Amino acid sequence: MAFERWHLACDEGGDPVFPRGGGDELKADLVASKHSAAEADAIVAEHARAVAAAWGRAAATASTARATTVARRDGGARHFFCGDATAELPEKVDAKLRELARRAGTKPTDVDACILAMTMRYDALGGSGFQAALPGAAFRALRDRFGVNFECFASPLNAYYERYCSAHADVDAPFGSLGSFYDFSPRRGAFECNPPFAPAPLLRAARRCDALLAAAEARRDALAFAFVAPVWTDQAAWAAVDGSRFKRGAVRVPREDHAWRDARTARARRVPVDTAIFILATSAAEAAHPCDAAALGEVRAALLVP
């Protein structure tokens, strides 16, 4: 999990698998897990050397040659093979990805290889995961009550809306991703913003939303974010969102009452922390979709375990 948080804290750009930076986040994790500061510094330095070496090896072995990807159906799943690389997806997920690829204009002959590359990326970096996803009912409530139709932090595997941003544009773009949220500058509209539940990306996302809202307010545009966050009231990100001048309302759901169905495995997953959804909106967006008690109550009810 320390590795995953390091990866999330790295600066955007560069190699998507072996990014540089994020040393402060990794050191803080190591110190919190009982390493001394000197031990943490040594581990961070060794880790940086390993990342640089891996980046060099990847660059040296990069090839423009394409290998053939084979996809087979077996027992309700689709299996992908390319050399030693393999991946497996439920047929419903496979069908969703193919539809996203069709809408994105990806060549049908490229889809199998694109699915394999994207799936392997998330298998390699996903680990235990850092997001508390919303159930489908919550996405529908946000759409109906606040006009939300875009996700700022999603992936081809878990996106609910057709339009979304994601962390890995190189493997996600064939399925319609518009790339990183931090490179995305919407002027108007309503967006679900569910950053990874780690301090650095939460704070960065909160600041990004605030900057976009301030610019939209100055233009008198209708811009809104439904910002999903863990209830970590002692964290800077919580203070940034809860104290935002654009906050119109919020709902909280206890961890035992919030669950969603994992798109990859179709299994129900529960949230290990209480969850909040903040409605952040400009004056024009608030006028178009008022954040009243009825709207917030509908969103909260949609989050609850049936």
Side-chain angles (χ1 to χ4, degrees):
M1 292 181 74
F3 168 80
E4 294 168 43
R5 282 190 287 265
W6 161 79
H7 200 277
L8 292 170
C10 288
D11 293 333
E12 294 294 311
D15 188 274
V17 182
F18 303 111
R20 303 173 189 273
D24 291 342
E25 184 80 6
L26 180 56
K27 179 179 178 179
D29 255 348
L30 293 168
V31 171
S33 61
K34 312 305 181 186
H35 288 278
S36 69
E39 289 172 333
D41 283 333
I43 294 171
V44 168
E46 176 60 25
H47 187 262
R49 287 192 291 271
V51 167
W55 188 88
R57 288 194 302 273
T61 58
S63 171
T64 57
R66 292 178 62 88
T68 301
T69 301
V70 178
R72 299 172 184 160
R73 285 189 174 89
D74 178 28
R78 182 74 73 108
H79 300 262
F80 299 86
F81 307 89
C82 182
D84 293 333
T86 63
E88 177 184 335
L89 291 172
E91 285 195 343
K92 287 185 178 180
V93 177
D94 176 74
K96 170 193 172 182
L97 293 174
R98 291 179 189 280
E99 177 61 18
L100 288 175
R102 185 191 67 79
R103 295 180 185 180
T106 301
K107 293 180 180 179
T109 52
D110 292 341
V111 172
D112 285 351
C114 290
I115 290 177
L116 177 60
M118 180 272 298
T119 304
M120 290 183 67
R121 173 70 59 78
Y122 283 96
D123 282 348
L125 299 177
S128 57
F130 285 94
Q131 283 176 299
L134 303 184
F139 281 108
R140 292 190 291 273
L142 289 173
R143 179 193 59 206
D144 295 344
R145 282 296 193 167
F146 298 105
V148 174
N149 63 359
F150 190 108
E151 295 165 76
C152 299
F153 293 87
S155 78
L157 293 165
N158 69 8
Y160 183 85
Y161 303 124
E162 181 179 345
R163 302 189 302 161
Y164 61 97
C165 287
S166 66
H168 307 294
D170 60 327
V171 293
D172 295 344
F175 306 98
S177 170
L178 296 184
S180 171
F181 171 63
Y182 304 114
D183 297 326
F184 180 58
S185 300
R187 295 173 62 88
R188 58 187 65 86
F191 304 81
E192 188 257 11
C193 186
N194 185 2
F197 283 13
L202 277 167
L203 181 58
R204 187 180 183 190
R207 289 172 173 170
R208 177 68 173 161
C209 288
D210 192 74
L212 291 170
L213 288 164
E217 185 74 11
R219 297 189 305 268
R220 299 184 180 180
D221 280 337
L223 180 66
F225 293 95
F227 197 100
V228 185
V231 181
W232 292 341
T233 57
D234 60 340
Q235 292 288 323
W238 180 271
V241 181
D242 193 43
S244 171
R245 68 187 175 106
F246 299 105
K247 175 186 169 184
R248 306 296 178 176
V251 297
R252 292 195 194 187
V253 176
R255 69 190 75 183
E256 59 270 17
D257 291 336
H258 178 183
W260 78 98
R261 191 163 298 280
D262 191 303
R264 179 76 177 275
T265 65
R267 296 174 182 170
R269 294 184 60 182
R270 288 188 176 272
V271 181
V273 64
D274 294 355
T275 309
I277 299 182
F278 294 88
I279 303 301
L280 310 175
T282 61
S283 301
E286 168 66 9
H289 297 282
C291 184
D292 54 29
L296 291 174
E298 187 173 324
V299 171
R300 188 180 188 282
L303 283 167
L304 300 178
V305 175

